[in-house]
């Protein structure tokens, strides 16, 4: 397999790239990433010199570049993660979400269709998506299955829903061999500190206020990022063409309970008086259109493909906290902006 992984310098993408480079020495992995603010090549330091790995800096929306990458590397599989991914940013500046997530995906689909036109045999276009396309659930009622109707509420989720529809349209219209997965909230190492868990950990470290939107009653279903990367591996190899798989951890938490848990665990690890960090919790104005609850029914991938999460929230959160505590330089580089110099230093 010659696999084009898009967005491989980001949070989830870097775990997917590392997994494929290490597990499959006979595959060639091409990581194409525009290195937006969310792209960080320091995430991939440990595998960047592997012979089966190539990095290409570029935009998924770049017509000529994408076609030349397909041809030059004889791409047989696409694992498409590149996206604008933060809901709050999509509320501030929606248009870049439409450009990257919808038009960028359309450009990749079209390049796959054109380059693979002689035969779709042995090819696969795998689109990584989110459970947020299904909308919001009531607090204690319901769960998202693969048949839940789409009802996206934020510019981010609407752009991801659009891209999912386009991917399915290429399957039904042109027979492009596609597969899609919709996953719940991820957490783990290399998570950019604009998202809830790394933001709270970073702020606890620096004794800064911990912003909790509204009353902190919103519920998310959390999955350890390496469990997601393993699910992506399983779906790429064993998923059925044309199908959708939901991925989740059966692990629902109210935001405020997560923030309190992180406070207590960090106090213990940093040998601060227990309760000190909870004093930093600050309730702030709620997010506009804040989805109340997400929860995933992952029965299909469990029953049909035999994937189950390996980490519990307890083990995953401990690994995550330990990673952030032992990689404070990563955090410093991200917050100072120094991480953006890595490409110039190492690749030019
Ligand atoms: P991320 O923001 O950490 O990383 C996105 C990556 O895409 C970055 O490296 C960025 O440089 C790159 N990128 C952005 N625009 C690009 C463009 N135009 N061309 C090429 N590269 C570009 O995101 P993430 O959290 O790792 O999410 C990855 C994918 O998984 C996204 O498609 C997201 O919708 C999906 N997803 C994320 C979660 C989650 O909890 N983080 C859950 C379910 C699904
Ligand atoms: P986030 O990590 O942005 O992921 P998503 O919006 O895709 O679920 O947010 C997770 C939850 O945490 C969400 O309900 C919003 C909330 N939140 C806060 O309360 N404070 C914050 O500073 C952030 C970033 C998020």
């Amino acid at each position: 397999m010659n696999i084009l992984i898009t967005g491989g310098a980001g949070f989830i993408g870097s775990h997917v790239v590392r997994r494929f480079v290490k597990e499959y020495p006979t595959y060639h992995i091409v990581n194409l990433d525009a290195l937006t603010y969310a792209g960080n090549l320091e995430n991939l330091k440990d595998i960047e010199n592997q012979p089966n790995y190539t990095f290409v800096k570029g935009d998924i929306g770049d017509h000529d570049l994408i076609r030349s990458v397909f041809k030059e590397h004889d791409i047989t599989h696409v694992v498409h993660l590149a996206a604008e991914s933060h809901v709050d940013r999509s509320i501030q500046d929606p248009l870049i979400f439409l450009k990257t997530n919808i038009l960028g995906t359309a450009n990749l689909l079209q390049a796959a269709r054109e380059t693979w036109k002689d035969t779709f045999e042995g090819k696969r276009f795998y689109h990584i998506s989110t459970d947020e396309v299904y909308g919001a659930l009531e607090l204690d009622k319901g769960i998202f299955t693969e048949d839940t109707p789409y009802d996206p509420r934020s510019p981010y989720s609407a752009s991801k829903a659009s891209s999912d529809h386009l991917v399915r349209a290429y399957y039904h219209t042109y027979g492009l061999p596609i597969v899609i997965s919709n996953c719940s909230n991820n957490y783990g190492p290399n998570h950019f500190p604009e998202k809830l868990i790394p933001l709270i950990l970073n702020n606890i470290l620096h004794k800064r206020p911990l912003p909790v939107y509204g009353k902190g009653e919103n519920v998310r279903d959390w999955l350890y990022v390496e469990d997601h990367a393993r699910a992506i591996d399983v779906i790429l190899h064993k998923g059925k063409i044309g199908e959708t798989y939901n991925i989740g951890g059966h692990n629902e938490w109210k935001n405020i309970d997560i923030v309190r848990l992180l406070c207590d665990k960090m106090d213990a690890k940093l040998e601060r008086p227990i309760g000190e960090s909870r004093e930093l919790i600050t309730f702030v104005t709620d997010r506009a259109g804040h989805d109340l609850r997400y929860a995933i029914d992952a029965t299909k991938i469990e029953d049909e493909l035999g994937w189950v999460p390996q980490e519990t929230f307890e083990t995953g959160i401990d690994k995550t906290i330990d990673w952030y505590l032992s990689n404070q330089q990563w955090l410093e580089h991200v917050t100072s902006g120094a991480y953006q110099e890595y490409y110039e230093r190492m690749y030019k």
Side-chain angles (χ1 to χ4, degrees), residues 10-12 33-34 36 39 58-60 81 85 129 156 160 183-184 186:
F11 165 47
I12 302 171
D33 197 298
T36 67
D59 191 319
I60 53 169
L81 295 113
S85 68
S129 193
Y156 164 66
K160 291 297 290 188
C183 188
S184 61
N186 285 215

Side-chain angles (χ1 to χ4, degrees), residues 6-7 34 36-38 59-62 80-91 93-109 125 127-130 132-133 152 154-167 195:
T6 68
T36 67
Y37 80 94
D59 191 319
I60 53 169
D62 183 334
H80 173 37
L81 295 113
E84 289 292 336
S85 68
H86 192 204
V87 174
D88 292 325
R89 285 180 188 256
S90 84
I91 294 168
D93 187 10
L95 295 189
I96 183 68
F97 284 70
L98 312 192
K99 182 167 179 280
T100 294
N101 299 0
I102 307 176
L103 296 179
T105 301
N107 187 45
L108 282 173
L109 285 164
F125 189 106
H127 177 60
I128 310 298
S129 193
T130 165
E132 303 189 24
V133 298
S154 73
Y156 164 66
S157 53
S159 69
K160 291 297 290 188
S162 303
S163 62
D164 292 9
H165 288 322
L166 272 174
V167 173
K195 307 279 170 65

Side-chain angles (χ1 to χ4, degrees), residues 12-304:
I12 302 171
S14 60
H15 290 271
V16 174
V17 165
R18 177 176 301 98
R19 181 177 178 89
F20 278 95
V21 166
K22 285 189 163 171
E23 295 277 320
Y24 303 105
T26 60
Y27 297 178
H28 185 204
I29 309 303
V30 180
N31 171 15
L32 180 127
D33 197 298
L35 300 182
T36 67
Y37 80 94
N40 184 351
L41 286 176
E42 291 188 19
N43 294 348
L44 292 167
K45 266 181 183 168
D46 56 324
I47 57 98
E48 68 188 359
N49 293 320
Q50 292 302 310
N52 63 338
Y53 173 71
T54 303
F55 176 70
V56 179
K57 182 172 189 275
D59 191 319
I60 53 169
D62 183 334
H63 177 275
D64 295 344
L65 173 75
I66 296 300
R67 278 152 189 80
S68 79
V69 167
F70 264 80
K71 292 207 171 97
E72 185 185 340
H73 298 283
D74 189 18
I75 295 300
T76 56
H77 292 69
V78 176
V79 179
H80 173 37
L81 295 113
E84 289 292 336
S85 68
H86 192 204
V87 174
D88 292 325
R89 285 180 188 256
S90 84
I91 294 168
Q92 293 304 320
D93 187 10
L95 295 189
I96 183 68
F97 284 70
L98 312 192
K99 182 167 179 280
T100 294
N101 299 0
I102 307 176
L103 296 179
T105 301
N107 187 45
L108 282 173
L109 285 164
Q110 190 60 15
R113 178 184 162 225
E114 285 170 11
T115 327
W116 296 341
K117 64 182 181 308
D118 290 341
T119 175
F120 287 157
E121 188 79 36
K123 311 290 196 313
R124 188 166 282 217
F125 189 106
Y126 179 7
H127 177 60
I128 310 298
S129 193
T130 165
D131 61 355
E132 303 189 24
V133 298
Y134 298 123
L137 296 164
E138 290 172 37
L139 261 195
D140 292 309
K141 212 169 92 193
I143 192 158
F144 298 138
T145 72
E146 288 80 359
D147 297 324
T148 302
Y150 275 32
D151 186 19
R153 312 289 184 91
S154 73
Y156 164 66
S157 53
S159 69
K160 291 297 290 188
S162 303
S163 62
D164 292 9
H165 288 322
L166 272 174
V167 173
R168 288 198 188 93
Y170 268 69
Y171 169 65
H172 289 293
T173 309
Y174 306 112
L176 193 79
I178 65 100
V179 65
I180 299 179
S181 58
N182 297 82
C183 188
S184 61
N185 286 58
N186 285 215
Y187 68 98
N190 303 114
H191 205 181
F192 198 85
E194 64 181 354
K195 307 279 170 65
L196 180 71
I197 289 179
L199 181 139
I200 295 295
L201 291 177
N202 192 31
N203 286 13
I204 292 174
L205 260 177
H206 296 96
K207 301 193 178 187
R208 287 199 288 255
L210 311 178
V212 174
Y213 299 167
K215 295 188 175 133
E217 297 288 309
N218 302 65
V219 172
R220 298 292 182 263
D221 181 354
W222 295 92
L223 181 71
Y224 191 64
V225 63
E226 285 180 10
D227 275 326
H228 188 189
R230 194 167 40 80
I232 289 173
D233 183 340
V234 169
I235 291 171
L236 184 73
H237 287 97
K238 298 204 293 188
K240 256 177 74 184
I241 300 289
E243 292 287 314
T244 295
Y245 297 89
N246 280 355
I247 309 171
H250 306 291
N251 180 40
E252 293 181 45
W253 282 75
K254 275 190 182 159
N255 293 338
I256 186 64
D257 293 336
I258 293 206
V259 173
R260 290 191 180 124
L261 177 81
L262 296 177
C263 287
D264 296 348
K265 282 189 175 283
M266 285 286 276
D267 283 348
K269 297 217 187 235
L270 295 168
E271 297 182 3
R272 293 179 184 170
I274 300 292
E276 188 178 277
S277 295
R278 284 190 185 212
E279 297 294 319
L280 300 168
I281 294 174
T282 310
F283 292 95
V284 298
T285 309
D286 209 352
R287 174 186 279 171
H290 197 171
D291 288 341
L292 184 57
R293 174 173 162 254
Y294 305 139
I296 278 277
D297 179 351
T299 311
K300 180 175 172 183
I301 182 173
E302 290 170 3
D303 288 356
E304 294 184 13

